[in-house]
Amino acid sequence: MSLIKAMQLEKTYVTGDIEVKAIRGVDFTIEPASFVSFIGPSGSGKSTLLNMIGCLDPPTGGKLIVADQDITNLARNQAADFRGNTIGFVFQDFNLIPVLTVYENIEYPLLMVQKWSVGDRKKRVMSLLEAVGMADQADKYPSQISGGQKQRVAVARALVTNAKLVLADEPTANLDRETANRIISMMKTMRDEFQTTFIFSTHDPKVVKSAEVIFTIEDGKLQKNGSEVGGTHV
Amino acid sequence: MFNILKMAAKNLTRYRRRTFLTTMLITLGVVAVLLFVSVSGSFKTMMIGQITDSMLGHLQVHRKGYLASIDSLPLNKNLNQKQVKKLEEILRSEEAVESYTFRIKLGAMFSNYAETTNIRLNAVMPDKELQTMPLLGDRIIEGEKEGLLKKGEILLPELIAKGMKVKVGDTIVLVANNKDGSVNGQSFLVRGVLEGISGPGGRDGIMHLEDARSLLRIEEMEVSEVAIRLKSIDQMEDVFNGLKAQLSSMTNKEGKPVFELHTWEKLSPFFNIAKMIDLMTLFIKVMLVAIVLVSIMNVMIMAVYERINEIGTIAAIGTRPGKILALFVTEGFLLGLLGTISGTIISLIGITAMNLSKLTFNFGRQTGLELAPTIDASDIVVTVLIVIFIAVLGSLQPALKAARMDPIAALRHV
Ligand SMILES: Nc1ncnc2c1ncn2[C@@H]1O[C@H](COP(=O)(O)OP(=O)(O)O)[C@@H](O)[C@H]1O
Ligand SMILES: [Mg+2]
């Protein structure tokens, strides 16, 4: 059973009289535990597509099924709950909460989105701190760590809820090449460890090489349908 | 819930100075209200206590028409024996009446054998008067306080004692016209000097009712004024209405009512001052509400605006809109709470300090009145609740804005 199934998916933005067809009827499927990248130039529709998969933006046409749920039309609270339970997000600008420590940032979804007991929470946060190699920085605030470290914390926050799917919209755009590669390979390690599907977008052909499934998107259309490269994708 | 509180508290630490200033502003407002309520309230209570407990009583009954000409202290508008008896019956059956006292009010010529002046006097039964006016003894500033006075004695108002250079133990003469116009004189021993207080009757002397009857050659029981003390001033409205109904049913041969009944509020101009004080208290409370509303709204609007990106983040990762709303409202609530707590503490310290330093003030001719401000727990509770309610109200609109934000738009915001 596929994790994601998109059928004739469309997104048209209407601003006044102007219509922008950001996604023009795309079909694709993504399997569980895969490591997927959408690549395309700026304005090609990567963010729009990821936002639809992430249940942040409803499609204007077609159908979208994620983790066995039709998310084409969800109410606000339903959408929030769906995101909180099924999806983890990693952002281009890291988006950590500045008044919370590294530890508290990772703990946040377990407190404010899901309800975990104190003991479980602690165990879970500690194990993710270990997994992303930030255990020794747990009490630091976001302003006290580097960009790469912030993104590690963000990946830990995305994974902490046992999300089935992590969406990362240009997660390396604000990082130098070396750090970018390390973050991508760390995400891959996380995929191996937690069997979580990772989807990231990028406009950088060098970054995309690490992906196992690559979708090239241009002008709101997919160029190749999920070409598999090298890798160990099952 | 606890998580939201903790999170909101953390958010308040972002801009410590801003949080501090807003809290200070609310604190200042709370202190202003509580100190004003405390000082003006104690002043009011003290003045009202003095008026009702040493001069007017809570209610007064006169013969219809007496008050209209009270300035000339007419003797032909007194209540007669039959009317007094009737009134006594009614007052005895009234549960809420603690005691009452009969007075003959009269004007007389006062002579110290060298000079003569006018004097206004209340002639009373000492026991009844003391029972009805428990603070009257405190107004005797010279001479024996116990038992008020005996027959043949007189308590002089401060002004006359000073002006006529009369001391306790001196003998003076009173000359008065009785109802028919004939003149009579009698000598009295000055038993003490009475401190004057503000308001009508506040500068009258006191003599024994029996002496007044012999001076004025009154044979039967006759009374110009009945002052009534209630068990509690809070019952005044009810008792007034009850008594009024009973008294107005009593009419003379022409079908006109015999009695007139008034509360102290109608008799003393201080009631208007008391009402002014209440009005000012209300104004200051409105100011407090405005201060809290504006400062909290201002801070929370800023907070939401600054954190749009963060709101987008927490919304994207699954925080429900209701929780985001709660987060911001709680932040405003905490600001209000912080302000009221520090405001209340500072106010209580201020009130204690005022009591310790024994502040005095003057009012009219009264000097050296001691201000002993107190504050009711209920006043504190009401103020705290108002501030917190307004704080929550003020953060509601910005919080709603935050909760309704579209996560994508918020995330894209720079
Ligand atoms: N909210 C929006 N309103 C109108 N047009 C939009 C909106 N979001 C994106 N678009 C348009 O949709 C197209 C795809 O944008 P986007 O998905 O952000 O591309 P990418 O992430 O690949 O740079 C662009 O032409 C962009 O201008
Ligand atoms: Mg984009």
Side-chain angles (χ1 to χ4, degrees), chain B residues 133-248:
Chain B
M133 303 290 138
L135 294 183
L136 183 56
D138 294 345
R139 281 177 55 203
I140 301 174
I141 47 178
E142 277 173 50
E144 173 63 40
K145 289 180 190 234
E146 271 312 301
L148 200 61
L149 48 54
K150 292 197 277 292
K151 270 197 260 184
E153 294 177 335
I154 186 170
L155 292 173
L156 289 183
E158 207 179 348
L159 279 178
I160 288 185
K162 272 215 189 88
M164 301 294 281
K165 299 190 181 62
V166 181
K167 287 186 192 53
V168 173
D170 290 353
T171 303
I172 57 93
V173 174
L174 291 183
V175 178
N177 283 75
N178 66 20
K179 234 190 297 191
D180 335 309
S182 61
V183 177
N184 192 21
Q186 218 169 301
S187 65
F188 292 89
L189 180 71
V190 176
R191 148 103 177 204
V193 176
L194 267 185
E195 180 188 34
I197 64 171
S198 313
R203 289 193 274 284
D204 293 357
I206 296 179
M207 65 191 290
H208 201 287
L209 193 79
E210 295 297 326
D211 290 338
R213 288 173 64 182
S214 73
L215 181 67
L216 300 170
R217 299 191 207 284
I218 295 173
E219 316 265 292
E220 281 199 317
M221 180 65 164
E222 227 178 72
V223 168
S224 357
E225 179 171 286
V226 183
I228 301 163
R229 177 174 180 76
L230 302 178
K231 290 186 173 127
S232 153
I233 196 167
D234 303 328
Q235 302 168 297
M236 195 167 77
E237 240 6 84
D238 292 341
V239 179
F240 175 80
N241 290 328
L243 281 181
K244 196 178 169 118
Q246 291 188 62
L247 292 179
S248 62

Side-chain angles (χ1 to χ4, degrees), chain A residues 101-115:
Chain A
T101 61
V102 163
Y103 182 98
E104 290 165 337
N105 263 288
I106 300 172
E107 189 189 28
Y108 178 93
L110 305 185
L111 277 174
M112 301 292 283
V113 180
Q114 301 185 347
K115 285 193 175 72

Side-chain angles (χ1 to χ4, degrees), chain A residues 13-15 20 22 40-49 169-170, chain B residues 412:
Chain A
Y13 292 107
V14 183
T15 328
V20 180
S42 180
S44 55
K46 305 181 294 292
S47 296
T48 304
L49 196 57
D169 192 4
E170 312 224 22
Chain B
R412 210 181 285 130

Side-chain angles (χ1 to χ4, degrees), chain A residues 40-126:
Chain A
S42 180
S44 55
K46 305 181 294 292
S47 296
T48 304
L49 196 57
L50 258 60
N51 286 340
M52 285 196 285
I53 298 170
C55 211
L56 287 165
D57 209 3
T60 49
K63 198 168 171 183
L64 184 57
I65 290 164
V66 177
D68 300 329
Q69 192 166 345
D70 186 346
I71 61 161
T72 318
N73 278 305
L74 284 185
R76 281 194 73 138
N77 275 333
Q78 281 178 299
D81 291 349
F82 179 79
R83 292 194 299 270
N85 293 324
T86 316
I87 303 177
F89 288 90
V90 173
F91 304 92
Q92 179 177 337
D93 301 312
F94 324 124
N95 292 22
L96 300 181
I97 298 168
V99 286
L100 300 183
T101 61
V102 163
Y103 182 98
E104 290 165 337
N105 263 288
I106 300 172
E107 189 189 28
Y108 178 93
L110 305 185
L111 277 174
M112 301 292 283
V113 180
Q114 301 185 347
K115 285 193 175 72
W116 287 50
S117 72
V118 187
D120 292 349
R121 218 156 60 209
K122 188 159 182 181
K123 250 187 275 167
R124 181 72 183 160
V125 176
M126 291 312 282

